[in-house]
Amino acid sequence: MDQNKLIDLHAHLDHPAFKDDQDEVIARAKEAGVSIILISGVNPKSNRAVLDLCSKYPDILKASLGIYPIDALQREIETGEYPLKSEPFDIDEEIAFIEKQRKHIHAVGECGLDYHWIKDKKEAQKKLFAKIIALCERIDKPLIVHSRKAEDDCIAMLKSSKLRKVNFHCFTGNKKLVKQIAEQGWYFSVPANIVRSQQFQELVKEVPLSHLFCETDSPYLSPFKEKRNEPAFIMEGYKKIAELKRMELAEVAHNIYMNWQRVFT
């Protein structure tokens, strides 16, 4: 197997969980055969941290800049799930910043809708997501979609857009929605905790390999219980997909690498 074709399509290496050992985390990823880690921003501070990291490790890190559903991010900050400093910002200014970085990024995201925490501000979320979709149409970049408890609205909005390069990160909608997304020719990135998740295993069975990616969502969703996730663990996702698809690991790695070439380059 070509040991330099593994791709982690979604990670948060700017997260405070990595502040003490970023160099070691990157080194372990390379040792594990990871050639590309797409790291996603979620707000202005995070987006700039992502760009800084990508300039520090240009041989392996690629940037995706985004605006996470604002009220959902605020709730995650408050609960300590994503321990960023909460700072108000101008949405249109940040969208303009992302547009100016178009030559330095491979995607836009993590963006989308999240009704898990906040159920009374759906229209404001949809207004922001519409602006993000329009941005992707203007700069012709793939979109990394967050759709927690809001899958129907995300799909409906994307169907009415011109976007074709769309990836649903960590999708937990039902089989009917999985089928709708696949029929649109969009993509899914499946986290490494597929080794423990029946739902993600069923998704992989339903979707052709030509529309699948692996991700870690580091430091979240580890394949190993009670252990911080990191990009080196992406191999666990690849192995499980190979098992479920009854394919050789090298063949799975090659196909997902070709998906990257087709969608993100």
Side-chain angles (χ1 to χ4, degrees), residues 92-210:
D92 294 323
E93 284 183 7
E94 190 60 14
I95 288 174
F97 173 80
I98 294 170
E99 187 162 1
K100 286 178 183 175
Q101 301 300 318
R102 62 198 296 176
K103 293 183 180 178
H104 305 291
I105 66 176
H106 282 70
V108 174
E110 177 176 358
C111 307
L113 304 174
D114 190 317
Y115 301 161
H116 174 69
W117 294 110
I118 309 292
K119 298 177 175 64
D120 59 348
K121 297 184 180 180
K122 293 181 181 180
E123 291 310 310
Q125 285 198 37
K126 288 161 78 171
K127 185 177 179 181
L128 169 57
F129 192 40
K131 289 183 176 185
I132 296 292
I133 291 170
L135 167 67
C136 290
E137 290 175 338
R138 285 197 306 277
I139 67 176
D140 191 27
K141 293 292 181 182
L143 176 59
I144 307 292
V145 178
H146 174 101
S147 59
R148 183 164 51 180
K149 304 294 185 184
E151 296 87 357
D152 287 290
D153 282 353
C154 275
I155 292 168
M157 291 182 70
L158 288 163
K159 276 185 176 179
S160 65
S161 78
K162 299 173 184 175
L163 296 185
R164 290 294 168 262
K165 294 180 177 180
V166 176
N167 181 75
F168 281 81
H169 137 74
C170 217
F171 187 77
T172 55
N174 61 40
K175 281 189 178 182
K176 182 179 177 182
L177 296 176
V178 169
K179 186 177 180 183
Q180 280 188 49
I181 292 167
E183 286 174 348
Q184 292 294 317
W186 299 330
Y187 298 81
F188 297 89
S189 54
V190 179
N193 75 338
I194 185 176
V195 299
R196 297 187 283 113
S197 169
Q198 188 66 34
Q199 185 166 22
F200 289 129
Q201 291 174 23
E202 291 301 320
L203 186 153
V204 164
K205 291 175 186 176
E206 293 287 323
V207 177
L209 186 57
S210 59

Side-chain angles (χ1 to χ4, degrees), residues 252-263:
V252 169
H254 175 75
N255 275 272
I256 291 177
Y257 189 82
M258 290 298 102
N259 294 347
W260 167 267
Q261 295 288 94
R262 185 167 61 252
V263 180

Side-chain angles (χ1 to χ4, degrees), residues 12-148:
H12 298 285
L13 296 188
D14 62 305
H15 193 284
F18 298 109
K19 65 183 175 63
D20 295 326
D21 64 345
Q22 275 177 347
D23 289 340
E24 291 88 344
V25 168
I26 297 293
R28 285 194 292 269
K30 291 178 180 178
E31 182 71 21
V34 180
S35 63
I36 294 167
I37 306 169
L38 186 66
I39 53 174
S40 290
V42 296
N43 72 354
K45 184 177 180 180
S46 174
N47 286 336
R48 284 147 189 80
V50 163
L51 291 172
D52 287 346
L53 278 170
C54 289
S55 67
K56 186 178 179 182
Y57 306 99
D59 57 329
I60 187 169
L61 298 188
K62 310 300 178 187
S64 177
L65 305 184
I67 304 175
Y68 198 89
I70 293 168
D71 293 303
L73 181 60
Q74 179 62 36
R75 187 62 62 88
E76 291 184 17
I77 290 170
E78 290 168 1
T79 62
E81 187 174 336
Y82 206 125
L84 289 171
K85 187 175 179 182
S86 178
E87 296 174 347
F89 65 93
D90 185 291
I91 288 169
D92 294 323
E93 284 183 7
E94 190 60 14
I95 288 174
F97 173 80
I98 294 170
E99 187 162 1
K100 286 178 183 175
Q101 301 300 318
R102 62 198 296 176
K103 293 183 180 178
H104 305 291
I105 66 176
H106 282 70
V108 174
E110 177 176 358
C111 307
L113 304 174
D114 190 317
Y115 301 161
H116 174 69
W117 294 110
I118 309 292
K119 298 177 175 64
D120 59 348
K121 297 184 180 180
K122 293 181 181 180
E123 291 310 310
Q125 285 198 37
K126 288 161 78 171
K127 185 177 179 181
L128 169 57
F129 192 40
K131 289 183 176 185
I132 296 292
I133 291 170
L135 167 67
C136 290
E137 290 175 338
R138 285 197 306 277
I139 67 176
D140 191 27
K141 293 292 181 182
L143 176 59
I144 307 292
V145 178
H146 174 101
S147 59
R148 183 164 51 180

